[in-house]
Amino acid sequence: MSINNKSIWELAEGYLAGSIPQEEFARLKDRLSADAAFASEFYEATDLIRSMEDGGKHKRFRGMLRDIHQEQAVKQQTKKAKLIWFTPQLLRTSAVAASVALIISTITIWTLKPSIKQSESQYYTISRAVTDLKKAQAQQAAQQKQLKLDLDNTKKSSAPVSDVKYTGTGFALSNDGYFVTAYHVIYTKEDGYGDSVYIVNHDGQYYKASLINFNADADVAILKVEKPGFRFGKGELPYTFSANKAGLGAQIFTLGFPKDDIVYSEGYISAKNGFAGNALQYTLELPAGHGQSGSPVIDEKGNVLGLLTAVGSPGEENTYSVSSKAIIDLLETLPDDTSIRLPKSGKLAKMTREQQIDKMEDYTFSVKVYKK
Amino acid sequence: MHSPTNNEHHLLAALAAGERTVTGQIYQENYHIINGWLIKNGGSSTDAADLFQEAMVVLFGKAQDKDFRLTCSIGTYLFAISKHLWYKKLQKKGRDPVFLQDNIGNDDEEGGIAWEDDINVHQEREAHYEQLNSALDQVGEPCRSLLRAYYHHDKNMQEIAADFGYTNPDNAKNQKYKCLARLRKLFYNVKT
């Protein structure tokens, strides 16, 4: 072998870079086909250089990914704090439950219902801890006051002295107190009906509500705030209800109460039918979690398309909503003298999203179910 | 069948070249989807970052081949790879074989196999780099630092000559070739 190490590496480098002059390249090819020992040494050299180059490229790429992640994490920190609502504990349970469920049957859907989440919000947003605690205390006081009022007013003996069992989200059907939520928020197989249902508006006021009608299969329940003369907001509902199903890809958003503060999330309709082809449902690409059952699903123009009911079992990242047709159908079963007239025109169509949310806030609230 | 748009071609080419803006854009558009999915599936945000970055590296590796064409959108690809990587991880932990099959069954079958292939190629390549790096660790100084500076940190011979105290870039280059020869012996166990 007449070639020394230096030139073989130089040759290999030039070969890979494609920088060897034509004449020399022809000589190299001749030699490679004639001299097997040289060829094997040469290809080992090119392999090694190529591996070093590619390895370096991958390493730099990984480094860049880490940097990008860091940058974006900083940028999104505030946003994230608002969006995370699962506790690690809940997650572990659902992961275990998921495997069990999948072994037993094929697919299960998780309802978004149950959540008592005092500890959650404290866990993730430490900076909010103090205010949260204060707020919780204030709410507790308001709640006790309300319960007392309730006792005084109605002289009922069965006033709820119990804790919140389930929370969900509800939204108004008429300004005078009718509202809708997911049926599984107020009734569960395990616990039956709660002792009482309260809504908590965004000012932290508690109002007692009673069930008017429901459709368990569709997972829709209509309730009414009991207080005479109650109004959700100043005027008529700002949104309308869509009687027809919206199309694939429609942009949607929702407001709900995975915790005590109202939370906004957005997404799109990813399939026209819902779970297992259910035509009264939509499949959505929309982040949702416990406590958001019953949240309105609204399109860009302010039409209510449905209400959130469930998320798919793990492995299936979908969120499901009952379409507003199920709500309208249920409304039609109510006695004629019921005062619900769904608005024919909405006020949200030309507003920015922030204005839409601002208008919606009076008509969207947390639903709390109490049980001893 | 997915027909990739010009835009996607462009994005992939830029990703393959390691362009930061485009990589950042792809990252931003897709990371939260995997993060959201994983949180629903028993993982943490740290897991999601690991998983997603691994999937990005898989795509980066695939995109190095100029003839590579995606059969789905970039987002779908990253999501599918992340999912498969997660199932693999769970399976490794012995946590849930049933879980794994159930979910892979939901995918388009051919796609599922293709993704498995891509992951396997990726993991073999990673193992190869790892061997190379452990050979590099044994190569001794100044070779280790010199090779790392050139290949990992993308420094040119001029910079290296200055950093390592060689009188000119050609001397540094000769030293690099000597170092490569040593590395080759370690890596391929070549006897002198």
Side-chain angles (χ1 to χ4, degrees), chain A residues 5-6 9-11 13 40-41 43-45 47-62 64-69 71-72 75-76 80 84 86 91-92 94-95 98-100 102-103 105-107 110 285-288 311-319, chain B residues 15-20 23-25 27-28 31 33 35 37 39-43 45 49 53-54 56-57 60-61 64 79 83 87 95-96 98-99 102-103 106 122 125-126 128-129 132-133 136 147-148 150-154 173-174 176-177 180-181 183-185 187-188 190:
Chain A
N5 274 340
K6 183 202 153 190
W9 291 105
E10 200 155 18
L11 273 175
E13 219 171 41
S40 105
E41 202 178 334
Y43 287 126
E44 229 170 64
D47 279 354
L48 189 74
I49 291 174
R50 197 184 285 128
S51 293
M52 286 299 287
E53 283 173 349
D54 289 351
K57 241 176 143 179
H58 272 73
K59 209 182 170 85
R60 288 195 295 280
F61 187 71
R62 279 181 188 276
M64 186 171 76
L65 288 178
R66 276 193 296 275
D67 288 351
I68 288 172
H69 184 81
E71 270 170 31
Q72 298 191 352
K75 254 191 245 164
Q76 299 218 328
K80 254 186 201 159
I84 297 169
F86 291 99
L91 283 171
R92 269 195 295 279
S94 58
S99 39
V100 172
L102 281 161
I103 290 164
S105 66
T106 49
I107 305 168
W110 295 146
E285 193 65 44
L286 176 83
V311 294
S313 55
E316 191 207 345
E317 63 287 359
N318 298 317
T319 299
Chain B
L15 179 83
E19 273 181 28
R20 195 189 170 106
T23 310
Q25 185 192 334
Y27 204 104
Q28 188 169 15
Y31 170 67
I33 298 169
N35 187 42
W37 176 82
I39 284 186
K40 280 192 221 163
N41 283 277
S45 279
Q53 287 177 21
E54 205 63 32
M56 285 288 279
V57 175
F60 174 75
Q64 296 305 311
F79 190 35
K83 263 181 158 166
Y87 297 144
R95 259 199 13 207
D96 221 341
V98 177
F99 188 63
D102 220 57
N103 279 284
N106 285 344
H122 164 76
R125 191 170 45 219
E126 290 295 314
H128 179 71
Y129 292 154
L132 196 59
N133 279 333
L136 192 58
L147 290 175
R148 282 167 64 113
Y150 185 75
Y151 289 106
H152 292 178
H153 302 301
D154 206 19
K173 208 169 174 179
N174 285 336
K176 188 185 77 183
Y177 292 144
L180 280 171
L183 182 67
R184 171 169 157 254
K185 278 174 199 158
F187 188 64
Y188 293 106
V190 179

Side-chain angles (χ1 to χ4, degrees), chain A residues 1 10 32 34-35 39 53 61 76 96 108 132 134 158 177 181 194-195 201 203 229 233 257 284 291 298 302 340 352:
Chain A
M1 204 183 294
E10 200 155 18
L32 283 171
D35 185 343
E53 283 173 349
F61 187 71
Q76 299 218 328
V96 172
T108 8
D132 269 3
K134 271 192 196 147
S158 63
T181 186
D195 295 325
N201 68 11
D203 290 328
F257 291 84
L284 310 176
I298 302 154
I340 307 178
T352 65

Side-chain angles (χ1 to χ4, degrees), chain A residues 164-207:
Chain A
V164 178
K165 190 85 182 176
Y166 296 116
T167 77
T169 302
F171 60 100
L173 289 173
S174 69
N175 197 25
D176 63 354
Y178 285 95
F179 68 93
V180 63
T181 186
Y183 181 63
H184 73 255
V185 171
I186 56 163
Y187 177 85
T188 61
K189 274 193 194 125
E190 300 83 6
D191 294 310
Y193 288 104
D195 295 325
S196 57
V197 180
Y198 282 81
I199 64 162
V200 189
N201 68 11
H202 70 118
D203 290 328
Q205 298 281 318
Y206 281 68
Y207 298 102

Side-chain angles (χ1 to χ4, degrees), chain A residues 263-370:
Chain A
V263 168
Y264 166 80
S265 34
E266 60 183 358
Y268 54 88
I269 293 177
S270 62
K272 212 158 180 195
N273 292 328
F275 179 67
N278 187 339
L280 273 181
Q281 290 186 345
Y282 293 108
T283 303
L284 310 176
E285 193 65 44
L286 176 83
H290 300 299
Q292 280 184 300
S293 271
S295 298
V297 176
I298 302 154
D299 71 10
E300 291 186 301
K301 295 208 173 79
N303 288 311
V304 172
L305 301 181
L307 63 85
L308 290 183
T309 171
V311 294
S313 55
E316 191 207 345
E317 63 287 359
N318 298 317
T319 299
Y320 297 104
S321 98
V322 181
S323 81
S324 46
K325 182 157 189 315
I327 303 171
I328 294 168
D329 287 352
L330 184 59
L331 277 174
E332 279 167 6
T333 66
L334 298 181
D336 286 341
D337 58 352
T338 316
S339 63
I340 307 178
R341 299 280 172 272
L342 292 180
K344 294 219 162 40
S345 59
K347 301 169 187 163
L348 303 175
K350 294 208 172 87
M351 291 183 176
T352 65
R353 185 55 48 84
E354 278 168 78
Q355 291 168 326
Q356 289 177 332
I357 293 168
D358 191 52
K359 284 277 177 219
M360 291 284 305
E361 269 188 331
D362 280 342
Y363 304 91
T364 312
F365 36 82
S366 174
V367 177
K368 293 185 190 280
V369 178
Y370 291 78

